[in-house]
Amino acid sequence: MASHPLINTYLQQLEHRIQARRDLPDVLDELADHLAETSARLQASGMSQHEAVKMAVEALGNIDVVAEHLTCGFERQFAVPTRYTRFGGWVAGASGLAWLVMLAAWWTSLRLEHLSGWTVTSETAYIVGAVALWAGVLCNTVVVTALRRRLGAIGWAGIVAVIGAAAATIASVFGWLVVVWTPLLAVSAIATGVSCIHNERVPRAPLLTFGASWTTSAAALLIDRAAVVTISMQRDMTWLTLGGTMAIVSCLVISRWLRREYPVPPGVASHA
Amino acid sequence: MRGESLKGHMDMLLLGVLADGSKHGYSVIQELKNRSGGALDLPEGTVYPALHRLHDQKLVSSTWSVVDGRRRRTYALTKRGHRALDEHWREWREFSEVVRHVMGGEPWPATH
């Protein structure tokens, strides 16, 4: 790595922007060599070290432009897992499991309620489901963040997604705030899905399912909440089951994607 | 010359520069500047992605060495790259000939 602070700063900023490149260390070494050689030759022509380095960095080009060129066509190489995204992958798996527990517990609760009314057992099953749901929501925040980390650039959709997921997690501690946190989750999931699909960096199907699952589940949870507080309505698990099943599938696929290196098909490079 | 004007031609220019022998990125850029009389004065950082693309397409190969304590990547044209360069060059000559005829008001010889 180069030693001059200007070069180091440039390369560090560039490194942050080109996480897409699986050959990141090689790219940085190559550019460091270029900057060192350019500045050495400029110095040999009589320039001061500072001026030479400054000119070499300027000649290399605007950092955003260079980063864009370096990542253009390498989007599919984005899928290089890091320690955090691998962790996010396991958490996505846990989120899928939480959904499964939630569905099983609430189905049990509903079944028991139909058989013998609202008893301690059905209430316990309901609480287990609620806790599992909260765990799923908590996991969701980590999954959304890991997805954003995997994509590199956060973007407006990423900010919405992460803030939405975090706010939903906090709000979900208070069960009665369901009207707040479920829409937040839906917005977060949709923002994540839309931005990922727009960038074509991840498989589309699981992201579409991910976005749709929280939206469906948010609507179902709101209906369920209304059913609980309104005597005339019966609790209905249909939509929640659909959303939950979609969430389980998408979480498992996303879990796999976050943990593994995405294959780089030949000829993905685009022309300048 | 604007970078936009180079769209589609950058590959040929890089292959052309490397046709004379292997070079590292800095030399490739200097050679582009020298041969174009300074007309090709691109942001230097944008040349590397083009070299990487050619490498991915196996039109150039690369080797690493250590120079003055720094890792240096040197590019060389592959056989496939030579063939691609010949093809690019043929297409370019044909295209420039057509343009010359059109702009000069001369009809392009009919082909069957």
Side-chain angles (χ1 to χ4, degrees), chain A residues 94-147:
Chain A
S95 181
L97 187 66
W99 271 101
L100 191 65
V101 172
M102 185 275 285
L103 284 180
W106 279 7
W107 267 110
T108 307
S109 166
L110 194 64
R111 192 85 180 150
L112 290 172
E113 194 182 346
H114 283 159
L115 289 174
S116 49
W118 189 247
T119 61
V120 174
T121 317
S122 61
E123 188 180 1
T124 306
Y126 186 83
I127 290 169
V128 167
V131 170
L133 178 63
W134 184 80
V137 173
L138 181 65
C139 290
N140 179 69
T141 310
V142 179
V143 173
V144 169
T145 315
L147 279 168

Tab-separated table of all heavy atoms in Angstrom, chain A residues 94-147:
chain	number	residue	atom	x	y	z
A	94	ALA	N	-32.437	-17.852	10.977
A	94	ALA	CA	-33.127	-17.815	12.275
A	94	ALA	C	-34.466	-17.106	12.139
A	94	ALA	O	-35.458	-17.490	12.774
A	94	ALA	CB	-32.241	-17.095	13.287
A	95	SER	N	-34.488	-16.076	11.293
A	95	SER	CA	-35.736	-15.332	11.061
A	95	SER	C	-36.794	-16.258	10.444
A	95	SER	O	-37.965	-16.234	10.845
A	95	SER	CB	-35.454	-14.147	10.133
A	95	SER	OG	-36.611	-13.404	9.914
A	96	GLY	N	-36.353	-17.065	9.493
A	96	GLY	CA	-37.268	-18.037	8.880
A	96	GLY	C	-37.815	-19.008	9.916
A	96	GLY	O	-39.015	-19.312	9.941
A	97	LEU	N	-36.910	-19.430	10.813
A	97	LEU	CA	-37.321	-20.361	11.878
A	97	LEU	C	-38.325	-19.685	12.814
A	97	LEU	O	-39.318	-20.297	13.234
A	97	LEU	CB	-36.076	-20.810	12.657
A	97	LEU	CG	-36.284	-21.908	13.697
A	97	LEU	CD1	-36.696	-23.226	13.022
A	97	LEU	CD2	-35.008	-22.128	14.510
A	98	ALA	N	-38.067	-18.408	13.128
A	98	ALA	CA	-38.975	-17.663	14.008
A	98	ALA	C	-40.376	-17.571	13.393
A	98	ALA	O	-41.390	-17.717	14.078
A	98	ALA	CB	-38.408	-16.260	14.257
A	99	TRP	N	-40.399	-17.337	12.085
A	99	TRP	CA	-41.686	-17.286	11.380
A	99	TRP	C	-42.421	-18.628	11.502
A	99	TRP	O	-43.625	-18.679	11.725
A	99	TRP	CB	-41.465	-16.970	9.900
A	99	TRP	CG	-41.451	-15.524	9.585
A	99	TRP	CD1	-40.361	-14.751	9.366
A	99	TRP	CD2	-42.586	-14.661	9.457
A	99	TRP	NE1	-40.739	-13.463	9.110
A	99	TRP	CE2	-42.101	-13.382	9.160
A	99	TRP	CE3	-43.952	-14.860	9.579
A	99	TRP	CZ2	-42.938	-12.299	8.976
A	99	TRP	CZ3	-44.788	-13.771	9.389
A	99	TRP	CH2	-44.294	-12.506	9.094
A	100	LEU	N	-41.635	-19.689	11.358
A	100	LEU	CA	-42.218	-21.033	11.427
A	100	LEU	C	-42.830	-21.283	12.810
A	100	LEU	O	-43.966	-21.759	12.939
A	100	LEU	CB	-41.127	-22.072	11.132
A	100	LEU	CG	-41.579	-23.510	10.911
A	100	LEU	CD1	-42.428	-23.614	9.649
A	100	LEU	CD2	-40.369	-24.430	10.790
A	101	VAL	N	-42.069	-20.908	13.842
A	101	VAL	CA	-42.549	-21.074	15.231
A	101	VAL	C	-43.798	-20.233	15.445
A	101	VAL	O	-44.790	-20.687	16.047
A	101	VAL	CB	-41.436	-20.682	16.234
A	101	VAL	CG1	-41.975	-20.651	17.656
A	101	VAL	CG2	-40.265	-21.649	16.132
A	102	MET	N	-43.769	-19.001	14.940
A	102	MET	CA	-44.904	-18.099	15.112
A	102	MET	C	-46.165	-18.695	14.493
A	102	MET	O	-47.232	-18.741	15.130
A	102	MET	CB	-44.575	-16.745	14.468
A	102	MET	CG	-45.617	-15.671	14.668
A	102	MET	SD	-46.944	-15.746	13.455
A	102	MET	CE	-46.122	-15.079	12.039
A	103	LEU	N	-46.013	-19.192	13.249
A	103	LEU	CA	-47.184	-19.757	12.565
A	103	LEU	C	-47.717	-20.975	13.313
A	103	LEU	O	-48.931	-21.099	13.543
A	103	LEU	CB	-46.821	-20.139	11.133
A	103	LEU	CG	-46.701	-18.996	10.124
A	103	LEU	CD1	-46.328	-19.542	8.758
A	103	LEU	CD2	-48.012	-18.221	10.026
A	104	ALA	N	-46.784	-21.843	13.725
A	104	ALA	CA	-47.196	-23.063	14.438
A	104	ALA	C	-47.902	-22.708	15.748
A	104	ALA	O	-48.961	-23.269	16.077
A	104	ALA	CB	-45.972	-23.931	14.708
A	105	ALA	N	-47.320	-21.747	16.478
A	105	ALA	CA	-47.889	-21.366	17.780
A	105	ALA	C	-49.267	-20.726	17.616
A	105	ALA	O	-50.204	-21.039	18.357
A	105	ALA	CB	-46.932	-20.412	18.488
A	106	TRP	N	-49.401	-19.848	16.646
A	106	TRP	CA	-50.685	-19.153	16.485
A	106	TRP	C	-51.771	-20.069	15.914
A	106	TRP	O	-52.934	-19.917	16.224
A	106	TRP	CB	-50.491	-17.890	15.648
A	106	TRP	CG	-49.964	-16.765	16.521
A	106	TRP	CD1	-49.567	-16.856	17.817
A	106	TRP	CD2	-49.795	-15.404	16.151
A	106	TRP	NE1	-49.150	-15.650	18.290
A	106	TRP	CE2	-49.276	-14.725	17.292
A	106	TRP	CE3	-50.002	-14.677	14.992
A	106	TRP	CZ2	-48.982	-13.367	17.286
A	106	TRP	CZ3	-49.715	-13.313	14.992
A	106	TRP	CH2	-49.201	-12.670	16.127
A	107	TRP	N	-51.332	-20.996	15.051
A	107	TRP	CA	-52.311	-21.982	14.567
A	107	TRP	C	-52.808	-22.826	15.746
A	107	TRP	O	-54.002	-23.103	15.881
A	107	TRP	CB	-51.701	-22.890	13.502
A	107	TRP	CG	-51.936	-22.396	12.100
A	107	TRP	CD1	-51.020	-21.890	11.240
A	107	TRP	CD2	-53.186	-22.371	11.403
A	107	TRP	NE1	-51.603	-21.524	10.048
A	107	TRP	CE2	-52.942	-21.816	10.125
A	107	TRP	CE3	-54.494	-22.730	11.742
A	107	TRP	CZ2	-53.945	-21.622	9.169
A	107	TRP	CZ3	-55.501	-22.538	10.785
A	107	TRP	CH2	-55.216	-21.990	9.521
A	108	THR	N	-51.864	-23.217	16.617
A	108	THR	CA	-52.224	-24.012	17.798
A	108	THR	C	-53.176	-23.223	18.694
A	108	THR	O	-54.204	-23.742	19.167
A	108	THR	CB	-50.944	-24.380	18.594
A	108	THR	OG1	-50.025	-24.990	17.699
A	108	THR	CG2	-51.241	-25.325	19.738
A	109	SER	N	-52.820	-21.958	18.891
A	109	SER	CA	-53.643	-21.093	19.738
A	109	SER	C	-55.066	-20.980	19.192
A	109	SER	O	-56.050	-21.112	19.934
A	109	SER	CB	-52.990	-19.709	19.818
A	109	SER	OG	-53.893	-18.768	20.338
A	110	LEU	N	-55.140	-20.786	17.894
A	110	LEU	CA	-56.459	-20.632	17.252
A	110	LEU	C	-57.272	-21.920	17.357
A	110	LEU	O	-58.479	-21.905	17.626
A	110	LEU	CB	-56.257	-20.243	15.784
A	110	LEU	CG	-57.479	-19.710	15.043
A	110	LEU	CD1	-57.955	-18.398	15.651
A	110	LEU	CD2	-57.159	-19.492	13.566
A	111	ARG	N	-56.558	-23.042	17.157
A	111	ARG	CA	-57.212	-24.358	17.212
A	111	ARG	C	-57.773	-24.606	18.623
A	111	ARG	O	-58.906	-25.031	18.786
A	111	ARG	CB	-56.160	-25.428	16.873
A	111	ARG	CG	-56.708	-26.796	16.606
A	111	ARG	CD	-57.129	-26.911	15.157
A	111	ARG	NE	-57.662	-28.240	14.878
A	111	ARG	CZ	-58.582	-28.468	13.966
A	111	ARG	NH1	-59.086	-27.483	13.264
A	111	ARG	NH2	-58.995	-29.692	13.744
A	112	LEU	N	-56.924	-24.327	19.623
A	112	LEU	CA	-57.331	-24.526	21.018
A	112	LEU	C	-58.501	-23.609	21.377
A	112	LEU	O	-59.411	-24.003	22.110
A	112	LEU	CB	-56.144	-24.258	21.955
A	112	LEU	CG	-55.010	-25.291	21.920
A	112	LEU	CD1	-53.821	-24.821	22.743
A	112	LEU	CD2	-55.511	-26.642	22.457
A	113	GLU	N	-58.459	-22.408	20.837
A	113	GLU	CA	-59.527	-21.444	21.124
A	113	GLU	C	-60.856	-21.939	20.576
A	113	GLU	O	-61.902	-21.801	21.213
A	113	GLU	CB	-59.153	-20.085	20.514
A	113	GLU	CG	-60.007	-18.938	21.022
A	113	GLU	CD	-59.639	-17.610	20.372
A	113	GLU	OE1	-58.576	-17.522	19.736
A	113	GLU	OE2	-60.447	-16.682	20.478
A	114	HIS	N	-60.780	-22.533	19.367
A	114	HIS	CA	-62.004	-23.072	18.760
A	114	HIS	C	-62.540	-24.260	19.552
A	114	HIS	O	-63.749	-24.437	19.677
A	114	HIS	CB	-61.739	-23.503	17.314
A	114	HIS	CG	-61.680	-22.331	16.378
A	114	HIS	ND1	-61.060	-22.384	15.149
A	114	HIS	CD2	-62.144	-21.070	16.497
A	114	HIS	CE1	-61.159	-21.205	14.562
A	114	HIS	NE2	-61.810	-20.392	15.367
A	115	LEU	N	-61.613	-25.071	20.088
A	115	LEU	CA	-62.016	-26.291	20.804
A	115	LEU	C	-62.553	-25.994	22.197
A	115	LEU	O	-63.594	-26.501	22.600
A	115	LEU	CB	-60.821	-27.266	20.904
A	115	LEU	CG	-60.396	-27.950	19.605
A	115	LEU	CD1	-59.128	-28.761	19.823
A	115	LEU	CD2	-61.522	-28.877	19.106
A	116	SER	N	-61.799	-25.187	22.941
A	116	SER	CA	-62.194	-24.998	24.350
A	116	SER	C	-62.162	-23.554	24.810
A	116	SER	O	-62.029	-23.280	26.005
A	116	SER	CB	-61.280	-25.855	25.230
A	116	SER	OG	-59.929	-25.644	24.890
A	117	GLY	N	-62.235	-22.639	23.877
A	117	GLY	CA	-62.266	-21.226	24.270
A	117	GLY	C	-60.886	-20.695	24.622
A	117	GLY	O	-59.872	-21.381	24.458
A	118	TRP	N	-60.898	-19.465	25.075
A	118	TRP	CA	-59.631	-18.775	25.390
A	118	TRP	C	-59.125	-19.224	26.760
A	118	TRP	O	-59.572	-18.739	27.803
A	118	TRP	CB	-59.852	-17.266	25.360
A	118	TRP	CG	-58.590	-16.461	25.461
A	118	TRP	CD1	-58.223	-15.659	26.500
A	118	TRP	CD2	-57.550	-16.377	24.506
A	118	TRP	NE1	-57.013	-15.077	26.256
A	118	TRP	CE2	-56.579	-15.496	25.020
A	118	TRP	CE3	-57.322	-16.955	23.254
A	118	TRP	CZ2	-55.416	-15.184	24.338
A	118	TRP	CZ3	-56.159	-16.634	22.582
A	118	TRP	CH2	-55.216	-15.756	23.123
A	119	THR	N	-58.219	-20.201	26.756
A	119	THR	CA	-57.704	-20.771	28.014
A	119	THR	C	-56.255	-20.344	28.217
A	119	THR	O	-55.664	-19.673	27.356
A	119	THR	CB	-57.752	-22.311	27.967
A	119	THR	OG1	-56.909	-22.734	26.892
A	119	THR	CG2	-59.171	-22.827	27.752
A	120	VAL	N	-55.712	-20.799	29.330
A	120	VAL	CA	-54.301	-20.473	29.627
A	120	VAL	C	-53.395	-21.070	28.546
A	120	VAL	O	-52.428	-20.438	28.100
A	120	VAL	CB	-53.909	-21.022	31.024
A	120	VAL	CG1	-52.419	-20.817	31.292
A	120	VAL	CG2	-54.730	-20.344	32.109
A	121	THR	N	-53.737	-22.281	28.076
A	121	THR	CA	-52.905	-22.959	27.064
A	121	THR	C	-52.920	-22.195	25.741
A	121	THR	O	-51.872	-21.957	25.136
A	121	THR	CB	-53.429	-24.395	26.820
A	121	THR	OG1	-53.745	-24.989	28.064
A	121	THR	CG2	-52.395	-25.231	26.089
A	122	SER	N	-54.127	-21.810	25.315
A	122	SER	CA	-54.201	-21.076	24.045
A	122	SER	C	-53.528	-19.721	24.166
A	122	SER	O	-52.893	-19.239	23.232
A	122	SER	CB	-55.662	-20.926	23.595
A	122	SER	OG	-56.382	-20.194	24.562
A	123	GLU	N	-53.643	-19.124	25.378
A	123	GLU	CA	-52.998	-17.826	25.595
A	123	GLU	C	-51.476	-17.980	25.565
A	123	GLU	O	-50.772	-17.157	24.980
A	123	GLU	CB	-53.435	-17.250	26.949
A	123	GLU	CG	-52.954	-15.815	27.157
A	123	GLU	CD	-53.384	-15.237	28.492
A	123	GLU	OE1	-54.037	-15.948	29.272
A	123	GLU	OE2	-53.047	-14.065	28.742
A	124	THR	N	-50.991	-19.082	26.167
A	124	THR	CA	-49.536	-19.341	26.171
A	124	THR	C	-49.025	-19.524	24.741
A	124	THR	O	-47.997	-18.960	24.361
A	124	THR	CB	-49.214	-20.615	26.996
A	124	THR	OG1	-49.790	-20.467	28.289
A	124	THR	CG2	-47.719	-20.844	27.098
A	125	ALA	N	-49.805	-20.309	23.982
A	125	ALA	CA	-49.407	-20.529	22.572
A	125	ALA	C	-49.385	-19.201	21.817
A	125	ALA	O	-48.478	-18.949	21.009
A	125	ALA	CB	-50.374	-21.500	21.910
A	126	TYR	N	-50.363	-18.361	22.111
A	126	TYR	CA	-50.421	-17.054	21.445
A	126	TYR	C	-49.195	-16.216	21.810
A	126	TYR	O	-48.572	-15.592	20.952
A	126	TYR	CB	-51.701	-16.308	21.835
A	126	TYR	CG	-51.872	-15.019	21.074
A	126	TYR	CD1	-52.422	-15.011	19.788
A	126	TYR	CD2	-51.461	-13.805	21.621
A	126	TYR	CE1	-52.559	-13.823	19.075
A	126	TYR	CE2	-51.587	-12.622	20.920
A	126	TYR	CZ	-52.146	-12.631	19.650
A	126	TYR	OH	-52.275	-11.464	18.947
A	127	ILE	N	-48.836	-16.251	23.101
A	127	ILE	CA	-47.679	-15.455	23.561
A	127	ILE	C	-46.385	-15.980	22.930
A	127	ILE	O	-45.520	-15.204	22.512
A	127	ILE	CB	-47.593	-15.462	25.111
A	127	ILE	CG1	-48.759	-14.646	25.678
A	127	ILE	CG2	-46.268	-14.900	25.609
A	127	ILE	CD1	-48.967	-14.778	27.170
A	128	VAL	N	-46.275	-17.318	22.845
A	128	VAL	CA	-45.084	-17.916	22.208
A	128	VAL	C	-44.978	-17.415	20.757
A	128	VAL	O	-43.901	-17.027	20.288
A	128	VAL	CB	-45.156	-19.468	22.248
A	128	VAL	CG1	-44.103	-20.087	21.324
A	128	VAL	CG2	-44.964	-19.969	23.667
A	129	GLY	N	-46.122	-17.404	20.078
A	129	GLY	CA	-46.154	-16.915	18.696
A	129	GLY	C	-45.745	-15.454	18.611
A	129	GLY	O	-44.990	-15.049	17.725
A	130	ALA	N	-46.246	-14.663	19.580
A	130	ALA	CA	-45.929	-13.229	19.583
A	130	ALA	C	-44.440	-13.006	19.821
A	130	ALA	O	-43.816	-12.158	19.178
A	130	ALA	CB	-46.760	-12.527	20.653
A	131	VAL	N	-43.877	-13.794	20.745
A	131	VAL	CA	-42.431	-13.667	21.036
A	131	VAL	C	-41.624	-14.078	19.797
A	131	VAL	O	-40.641	-13.425	19.426
A	131	VAL	CB	-42.031	-14.525	22.265
A	131	VAL	CG1	-40.515	-14.579	22.419
A	131	VAL	CG2	-42.669	-13.964	23.531
A	132	ALA	N	-42.071	-15.171	19.147
A	132	ALA	CA	-41.374	-15.627	17.926
A	132	ALA	C	-41.454	-14.555	16.843
A	132	ALA	O	-40.479	-14.304	16.130
A	132	ALA	CB	-41.987	-16.929	17.431
A	133	LEU	N	-42.619	-13.928	16.763
A	133	LEU	CA	-42.777	-12.855	15.772
A	133	LEU	C	-41.830	-11.700	16.078
A	133	LEU	O	-41.178	-11.157	15.183
A	133	LEU	CB	-44.234	-12.366	15.759
A	133	LEU	CG	-44.537	-11.211	14.798
A	133	LEU	CD1	-44.305	-11.641	13.355
A	133	LEU	CD2	-45.958	-10.711	14.972
A	134	TRP	N	-41.729	-11.359	17.361
A	134	TRP	CA	-40.833	-10.266	17.739
A	134	TRP	C	-39.381	-10.640	17.396
A	134	TRP	O	-38.624	-9.811	16.907
A	134	TRP	CB	-40.952	-9.950	19.238
A	134	TRP	CG	-40.116	-8.769	19.597
A	134	TRP	CD1	-40.422	-7.451	19.410
A	134	TRP	CD2	-38.803	-8.792	20.142
A	134	TRP	NE1	-39.394	-6.649	19.807
A	134	TRP	CE2	-38.375	-7.444	20.272
A	134	TRP	CE3	-37.939	-9.810	20.547
A	134	TRP	CZ2	-37.133	-7.103	20.779
A	134	TRP	CZ3	-36.685	-9.456	21.054
A	134	TRP	CH2	-36.301	-8.115	21.174
A	135	ALA	N	-39.045	-11.910	17.651
A	135	ALA	CA	-37.684	-12.379	17.311
A	135	ALA	C	-37.459	-12.273	15.795
A	135	ALA	O	-36.385	-11.864	15.341
A	135	ALA	CB	-37.494	-13.817	17.773
A	136	GLY	N	-38.494	-12.606	15.040
A	136	GLY	CA	-38.402	-12.501	13.576
A	136	GLY	C	-38.200	-11.064	13.133
A	136	GLY	O	-37.410	-10.777	12.232
A	137	VAL	N	-38.904	-10.160	13.799
A	137	VAL	CA	-38.774	-8.727	13.480
A	137	VAL	C	-37.367	-8.244	13.801
A	137	VAL	O	-36.741	-7.515	13.026
A	137	VAL	CB	-39.834	-7.902	14.256
A	137	VAL	CG1	-39.607	-6.414	14.060
A	137	VAL	CG2	-41.228	-8.281	13.804
A	138	LEU	N	-36.880	-8.696	14.954
A	138	LEU	CA	-35.517	-8.313	15.370
A	138	LEU	C	-34.491	-8.828	14.348
A	138	LEU	O	-33.596	-8.101	13.913
A	138	LEU	CB	-35.222	-8.894	16.758
A	138	LEU	CG	-33.855	-8.562	17.363
A	138	LEU	CD1	-33.744	-7.067	17.629
A	138	LEU	CD2	-33.652	-9.323	18.665
A	139	CYS	N	-34.659	-10.104	13.975
A	139	CYS	CA	-33.762	-10.698	12.974
A	139	CYS	C	-33.846	-9.939	11.652
A	139	CYS	O	-32.852	-9.748	10.954
A	139	CYS	CB	-34.125	-12.162	12.725
A	139	CYS	SG	-33.751	-13.242	14.104
A	140	ASN	N	-35.063	-9.502	11.337
A	140	ASN	CA	-35.292	-8.804	10.070
A	140	ASN	C	-34.404	-7.567	9.933
A	140	ASN	O	-33.897	-7.270	8.856
A	140	ASN	CB	-36.772	-8.423	9.970
A	140	ASN	CG	-37.077	-7.683	8.698
A	140	ASN	OD1	-37.038	-8.249	7.633
A	140	ASN	ND2	-37.341	-6.396	8.811
A	141	THR	N	-34.212	-6.866	11.055
A	141	THR	CA	-33.371	-5.656	11.023
A	141	THR	C	-31.944	-6.028	10.608
A	141	THR	O	-31.333	-5.344	9.793
A	141	THR	CB	-33.340	-4.994	12.426
A	141	THR	OG1	-34.673	-4.855	12.870
A	141	THR	CG2	-32.670	-3.643	12.381
A	142	VAL	N	-31.462	-7.110	11.183
A	142	VAL	CA	-30.094	-7.556	10.854
A	142	VAL	C	-30.032	-7.997	9.384
A	142	VAL	O	-29.077	-7.685	8.671
A	142	VAL	CB	-29.663	-8.722	11.782
A	142	VAL	CG1	-28.265	-9.192	11.432
A	142	VAL	CG2	-29.738	-8.308	13.231
A	143	VAL	N	-31.069	-8.698	8.942
A	143	VAL	CA	-31.088	-9.192	7.556
A	143	VAL	C	-31.083	-8.016	6.571
A	143	VAL	O	-30.306	-8.005	5.611
A	143	VAL	CB	-32.331	-10.090	7.301
A	143	VAL	CG1	-32.432	-10.466	5.831
A	143	VAL	CG2	-32.261	-11.337	8.162
A	144	VAL	N	-31.934	-7.024	6.847
A	144	VAL	CA	-32.000	-5.851	5.952
A	144	VAL	C	-30.644	-5.149	5.929
A	144	VAL	O	-30.142	-4.769	4.864
A	144	VAL	CB	-33.123	-4.887	6.408
A	144	VAL	CG1	-33.023	-3.556	5.678
A	144	VAL	CG2	-34.481	-5.512	6.148
A	145	THR	N	-30.041	-4.982	7.099
A	145	THR	CA	-28.735	-4.317	7.167
A	145	THR	C	-27.682	-5.126	6.406
A	145	THR	O	-26.863	-4.563	5.677
A	145	THR	CB	-28.293	-4.152	8.642
A	145	THR	OG1	-29.397	-3.679	9.384
A	145	THR	CG2	-27.153	-3.175	8.773
A	146	ALA	N	-27.723	-6.443	6.573
A	146	ALA	CA	-26.748	-7.300	5.873
A	146	ALA	C	-26.944	-7.223	4.360
A	146	ALA	O	-25.973	-7.186	3.603
A	146	ALA	CB	-26.890	-8.745	6.346
A	147	LEU	N	-28.196	-7.164	3.940
A	147	LEU	CA	-28.470	-7.030	2.503
A	147	LEU	C	-27.882	-5.735	1.977
A	147	LEU	O	-27.287	-5.695	0.899
A	147	LEU	CB	-29.982	-7.048	2.243
A	147	LEU	CG	-30.652	-8.420	2.200
A	147	LEU	CD1	-32.165	-8.271	2.237
A	147	LEU	CD2	-30.245	-9.180	0.944
